[in-house]
Amino acid sequence: MIFENATLYVVGTPIGNLSDISPRAAETLKECDFIAAEDTRVTLKLLNSLNIKKELVSYHKNNELERGVYIIERLLAGEKCALVTDAGMPAISDPGAALVRLCAENGIKAVSVPGPSAAITALAISGMDSSRFCFEGFLTGNKPKRRAHLEDIKDEKRTMIFYEAPHKLEKTLRDLYETLGSRQIAVIKELTKIHENVDRTTFADAIEKYGGQKLKGEFVIIIESKKQDKKETDENNDITAAVFRAEEYVKEGYKPSEAAKLAAKETGFAKSEVYKGLV
C-alpha cells in the first residue's frame, strides 16, 4: 500500500556557497511540514538565509534508528518531511539511506530534490579521466576494515574518489600511497567556497606538502586509475589481432562461430574469447 499524502523529500543542499541552493529545494523546505536535519544548527543557518521558519528534527548517524521510527510515524499520519544533511545529497556518505529504506518498507513515497554533490563537483574540476569512476567515500578508522578496503582497491582500473577530514588527510594519503604506489592525484578542498583549491599532484608530493600541517576544511581526493602493465597490454593487443583475423574470415563468407574457431586455432586464444570480441 502506498500512502498518498506521506512523502519524504530527499533534498540536496549547498556544499559551501549558499547561493547554490536551487529554487525547487528552497520551495520544498518552505512547504514541507518539518525538516529532518543532520545538524540542526547548520540547517538553521541555511533556513535563515532563505527567510524560512520550519520545525527542525535532529536526524544523524547516532540516532537514525529511533528517530527514523519517529519520522515514519509522522509521515504515516500524513505529514511531509524534507531530509537534509549539512552539505550535499543525503545518503551519500551522510545519513539518509536507512530512512529511505524505512519509507520503502512502509509504503511511503521518497522524492528526490537533487542538489550539489562534492564527489561529482570535485571530479569535474580535477582534470582526471571521468569516463569511468567509482566513489569510495571515507576510509574507516577500523584497522582491519581499512586494510580490507585498501586491499580491495589496489587493482582498481577506474578513477577513484575519496572524502577525508583535514586531521586525517596525511594518514590517508600515506596509506593510499603505500597500497597504490605512485599515482597522479588531485587534492581538492573548500569546494564552492572562497578558498576553493585544486592541487593536481602526486601522493609523494601531497604527503610532503600537507604532512604536519594544521588543515581546515573538507577534502576530496581524486586518484588516477591503475595503468595496465606491459603483460596486460600485450595480451589485449594479441586478442585484438585475433578478433581482427576472425573479422577477415567473416568477410570471406564464414559464419562468426566458424571464423572465431579458425582465428582461435591460428592465435592460440580460446574460441569463446575471440567470438566474444567478434560479436
Side-chain angles (χ1 to χ4, degrees), residues 138 163-166 188-191 193 216-220:
F138 290 93
Y163 287 165
E164 196 48 275
I188 303 168
K189 70 173 183 177
E190 297 291 84
L191 278 167
K193 299 179 182 178
K216 295 182 179 180
E218 297 300 317
F219 287 81
V220 183

Side-chain angles (χ1 to χ4, degrees), residues 56-277:
L56 292 171
V57 172
S58 174
Y59 179 81
H60 49 75
K61 65 180 181 180
N62 294 322
N63 72 356
E64 62 182 357
L65 292 178
E66 61 178 271
R67 195 52 58 88
V69 173
Y70 169 76
I71 293 170
I72 291 296
E73 289 175 349
R74 293 186 61 170
L75 289 171
L76 290 174
E79 293 189 83
K80 292 179 172 61
C81 173
L83 171 66
V84 300
T85 58
D86 294 348
M89 284 299 294
I92 307 301
S93 281
D94 276 325
L99 184 56
V100 173
R101 282 195 298 269
L102 275 176
C103 286
E105 292 168 2
N106 286 274
I108 298 170
K109 181 168 60 176
V111 175
S112 65
V113 183
S117 167
I120 299 303
T121 303
L123 178 62
I125 61 174
S126 69
M128 297 287 184
D129 178 19
S130 60
S131 60
R132 296 186 67 206
F133 60 90
C134 58
F135 176 64
E136 298 293 331
F138 290 93
L139 277 175
T140 178
N142 179 288
K143 289 184 178 180
K145 291 182 179 180
R146 188 181 182 93
R147 283 195 298 269
H149 189 168
L150 290 168
E151 182 67 20
D152 192 49
I153 64 167
K154 68 179 183 180
D155 294 321
E156 178 58 63
K157 293 182 173 61
R158 296 171 293 180
T159 300
M160 290 179 282
I161 307 172
F162 283 87
Y163 287 165
E164 196 48 275
H167 63 287
K168 297 180 180 178
L169 181 65
E170 181 183 357
K171 177 172 174 50
T172 291
L173 289 172
R174 289 186 182 279
D175 286 348
L176 288 168
Y177 187 21
E178 181 179 334
T179 302
L180 304 176
S182 181
R183 299 277 185 100
Q184 291 293 316
I185 67 173
V187 180
I188 303 168
K189 70 173 183 177
E190 297 291 84
L191 278 167
T192 75
K193 299 179 182 178
I194 295 175
H195 298 295
E196 175 181 286
N197 183 68
V198 181
D199 188 5
R200 300 178 181 90
T201 182
T202 63
F203 279 128
D205 289 342
I207 291 168
E208 182 178 355
K209 178 176 181 178
Y210 297 107
Q213 302 292 320
K214 289 186 177 181
L215 303 170
K216 295 182 179 180
E218 297 300 317
F219 287 81
V220 183
I221 307 168
I222 313 291
I223 306 170
E224 73 170 346
S225 59
K226 180 185 178 182
K227 303 300 183 185
Q228 286 184 320
D229 59 31
K230 187 176 186 302
K231 180 180 179 182
E232 289 176 317
T233 302
D234 289 345
E235 287 177 350
N236 285 339
N237 288 338
D238 286 344
I239 190 66
T240 299
V243 172
F244 177 78
R245 188 73 187 98
E247 290 173 343
E248 292 299 308
Y249 279 123
V250 171
K251 290 178 183 178
E252 293 174 14
Y254 288 91
K255 294 180 179 179
S257 61
E258 296 172 335
K261 182 177 179 179
L262 289 170
K265 186 176 181 180
E266 291 179 11
T267 60
F269 281 91
K271 175 187 172 182
S272 59
E273 290 183 282
V274 181
Y275 186 77
K276 182 179 180 181

